[in-house]
Amino acid sequence: MDVSAEMYPKAETLELRRKLVGSSCRLFFSHDPIKILRAKGQYMFDEEGKRYLDCINNVVHVGYCHPVVVKAAHEQNQLLNTNARYLHDGLVEYATRLSKTLPDKLCIFYFVNSGSEANDLAVRLARQYTKQKDVVVLDHAYHGHLTSLIDISPYKFRNLEGQKDWVHVAPIPDTYRGLYREDHKDPATAYANEVKKVLDEVQKKDRKIAAFIMESLPSVGGQIIPPIGYFHKVAEHVRRAGGVFIADEVQVGFGRVGTHYWAFQLQGDDFVPDIVTMGKPIGNGHPMSCVVTTKEIAEAFTSTGVEYFNTFGGNPVSCAIGLAVLDVIEKEHLREHATEVGNYLMELLNDQKKKHPLIGDVRGVGLFIGVDLINDVENRTPATAEAEYVIQRMKKECIVLSTDGPGRNVIKFKPPMCFSMDDAKLVVEKLDEILTDIENATKAGTVIFKSVN
Ligand code: PMP
């Protein structure tokens, strides 16, 4: 098969997909989905050769089809792929290299295959260590698609069978739209106290927690940057209650925030979670993930005497790919690049904020940025329909963006890390045009899009 050619015309691909694939596996742009044949760097090419700028795929971290990663996969595939029950240098070399990016205490690694598997194992480790079951999560969080994780993902369980009695939800530390905002004198303490309140309630019910889990930067929750000091204070409350602190870095790890390798490090060099989970960017598209924890927690897990075996986790090909990703991040100075381009993009977006009342907030760090669209300044009402319109119009401009947040009004940027200054300029120019059109139409009383809600 010629992989650069189409097997089926686009309409037929769509028809076959609708017939054969579960329809809950949704497509982006369901009315007119994009068909991609190949991609390079931050660009994807459709069946007509049209180029799309990808502003959201944080999995292809160092860029689509990066030659160093492709070569590493190919060479290792030609030599050996097997499970982690044999000694292999790739596994230990990869763990060694990862450990150099982490605080010393986080030194025991488990290699698994997806963000969900990593979070499921993290909860298992916490439960084994604490001998408790309950979990505290942040509102609107998403931690994966396994049954165990749907249970701790308010973003999902609120639309399904609801909250389990062992799950406890604390408010998201959103200083723009949450309980305590930018005008609060100490939002970190105030939000941490909300976690404490939840923990106190748990105690009143004669229960104890195993873990508190949060994304280091809540992304599904709306590209949120927690106030500095929040993690320290939450960890203090959580540990006092007997639980462990799990940082989900599945979306935001591997240098996306620029200044640091891990987003939890934004809270201060002395903050150390008890367990960290990694996924998406780790293999640049290859399905792999990782859990790292302390010696004490790992020992408690071992103490059961039950073997942990994962058929694919930590196989030589995955390790070769993981090492290649780390090499590229370093050699291409992608963290510095993320800071530089991210700052530039934020600057351009902040200029737009001055011009367009639709932009309520621009927040972010490195190449993790959210543009919060609002309908009114006072209530900060999410401009859901407008955000959807922006995404659809951007698609016509061959720019792929999407929304996040409970109000689906936060335009999110989490592009491959090779995203350039020119890419940033182009997107913001188009955003300016689209927002101007919306504002002019609103003034003229013309309807240019249907309300989404
Ligand atoms: N944690 C977070 C924060 C995620 O965003 C996701 C996926 N969107 C997961 C976990 C689950 O990862 P996966 O889809 O690889 O299982």
Side-chain angles (χ1 to χ4, degrees), residues 425-441:
K425 210 161 145 234
L426 173 74
V427 181
V428 177
E429 271 168 21
K430 295 297 172 197
L431 182 68
D432 186 14
E433 276 173 35
I434 299 167
L435 294 183
T436 304
D437 286 352
I438 297 177
E439 283 154 6
N440 287 342

Side-chain angles (χ1 to χ4, degrees), residues 146-254:
L146 299 183
T147 309
S148 60
L149 303 168
I150 298 298
D151 284 347
I152 61 165
S153 298
Y155 168 72
K156 292 282 177 189
F157 72 61
R158 292 208 195 288
N159 299 315
L160 291 165
E161 62 264 42
Q163 192 171 338
K164 298 276 163 32
D165 63 352
W166 51 269
V167 177
H168 313 280
V169 181
I172 191 163
D174 173 356
T175 53
Y176 181 67
R177 182 172 277 111
L179 280 178
Y180 310 107
R181 299 185 174 182
E182 63 281 356
D183 55 352
H184 191 282
K185 65 179 189 320
D186 186 2
T189 305
Y191 277 117
N193 285 342
E194 290 295 324
V195 176
K196 170 130 190 353
K197 272 193 223 162
V198 171
L199 294 169
D200 291 344
E201 285 303 311
V202 175
Q203 201 184 9
K204 272 191 216 151
K205 289 180 196 151
D206 250 353
R207 305 181 73 111
K208 284 198 170 141
I209 63 152
F212 167 86
I213 181 168
M214 72 175 283
E215 264 194 278
S216 299
L217 301 171
S219 40
V220 174
Q223 303 287 98
I224 306 298
I225 315 289
I228 303 292
Y230 176 71
F231 284 35
H232 280 92
K233 293 186 168 80
V234 168
E236 211 178 298
H237 296 316
V238 166
R239 288 174 184 147
R240 198 173 298 133
V244 304
F245 189 116
I246 304 173
D248 178 339
E249 291 265 344
V250 167
Q251 288 227 25
V252 295
F254 289 90

Side-chain angles (χ1 to χ4, degrees), residues 114-116 119 142-145 215 248 250-251 280:
S114 67
S116 298
N119 281 333
Y142 175 66
H143 293 293
H145 57 76
E215 264 194 278
D248 178 339
V250 167
Q251 288 227 25
K280 294 182 189 276

Side-chain angles (χ1 to χ4, degrees), residues 11 28 38 48 67 75 80 97 104 171 181 194 200 218 260 262 283 303 308 342 377 397 407 416 428:
F28 279 144
R38 62 191 178 85
E48 291 169 351
E75 285 180 358
L80 167 75
R97 286 280 300 280
D104 292 346
R181 299 185 174 182
E194 290 295 324
D200 291 344
H260 298 82
W262 306 104
S303 72
Y308 180 78
V377 177
E397 302 288 348
V428 177

Side-chain angles (χ1 to χ4, degrees), residues 71-85:
K71 184 165 176 273
H74 182 62
E75 285 180 358
Q76 188 56 51
N77 253 319
Q78 282 183 314
L79 204 60
L80 167 75
N81 201 11
T82 185
N83 66 63
R85 274 187 177 136

Side-chain angles (χ1 to χ4, degrees), residues 68-69 72-73 76 90 94 288 315-325 327:
V68 171
V69 181
Q76 188 56 51
Y94 188 42
M288 54 188 283
N315 69 70
V317 171
S318 295
C319 292
I321 290 172
L323 281 164
V325 170
D327 283 343

Side-chain angles (χ1 to χ4, degrees), residues 327-371:
D327 283 343
V328 176
I329 294 171
E330 275 164 43
K331 292 209 177 105
E332 296 187 3
H333 309 287
L334 290 180
R335 280 176 46 206
E336 292 79 355
H337 182 78
T339 300
E340 202 185 337
V341 178
N343 285 348
Y344 178 62
L345 179 54
M346 290 269 286
E347 203 182 292
L348 296 180
L349 289 167
N350 272 312
D351 289 342
Q352 295 300 311
K353 184 179 160 211
K354 286 180 209 138
K355 186 171 167 191
H356 297 288
L358 266 166
I359 301 182
D361 192 31
V362 175
R363 50 183 176 258
V365 51
L367 282 172
F368 174 90
I369 295 170
V371 183

